[in-house]
Amino acid sequence: MDQRDRDFIQENADKDPELKSLWEDHILLSKQVDKLESKPFRNPTEEQSLRQLKKQKLEAKTRLADRIDALRAAQ
């Protein structure tokens, strides 16, 4: 997510609930990934959770990018 996309999200999140929800999901997943990655040692369950969270984060980022593209195209 580059600064241009972040600016677009800030400008349009209040007008588009789906965009706001996707952005909040992305932020939440980022925080969860960061928290697990910051641990010096992870057990196998945490490693599995980290892989799953990264996959979910990527899917959320893709949906967010698609929504941004759709909104820009409609403008």
Side-chain angles (χ1 to χ4, degrees), residues 2 9 30 43 46 51 62-63 66 68 74:
D2 63 14
I9 291 167
S30 292
N43 64 40
E46 291 170 328
R51 283 191 300 274
T62 301
R63 289 191 312 271
D66 290 345
I68 290 169

Side-chain angles (χ1 to χ4, degrees), residues 36 39 41-52:
L36 275 176
K39 293 182 78 170
F41 301 101
R42 292 180 289 274
N43 64 40
T45 303
E46 291 170 328
E47 285 291 340
Q48 183 179 4
S49 293
L50 181 58
R51 283 191 300 274
Q52 183 63 30

Side-chain angles (χ1 to χ4, degrees), residues 19-59:
L19 179 66
K20 184 176 183 176
S21 175
L22 290 169
W23 178 244
E24 289 170 351
D25 290 348
H26 177 71
I27 296 296
L28 177 64
L29 289 166
S30 292
K31 287 179 181 180
Q32 291 174 335
V33 166
D34 291 346
K35 182 178 177 182
L36 275 176
E37 284 184 329
S38 70
K39 293 182 78 170
F41 301 101
R42 292 180 289 274
N43 64 40
T45 303
E46 291 170 328
E47 285 291 340
Q48 183 179 4
S49 293
L50 181 58
R51 283 191 300 274
Q52 183 63 30
L53 285 169
K54 284 183 175 183
K55 183 178 176 183
Q56 289 173 347
K57 182 181 170 191
L58 181 59
E59 290 169 353

Side-chain angles (χ1 to χ4, degrees), residues 1 5 8-9 19 64-73:
M1 211 54 38
D5 291 338
F8 183 85
I9 291 167
L19 179 66
L64 181 59
D66 290 345
R67 185 66 186 153
I68 290 169
D69 291 345
L71 290 171
R72 282 186 175 142

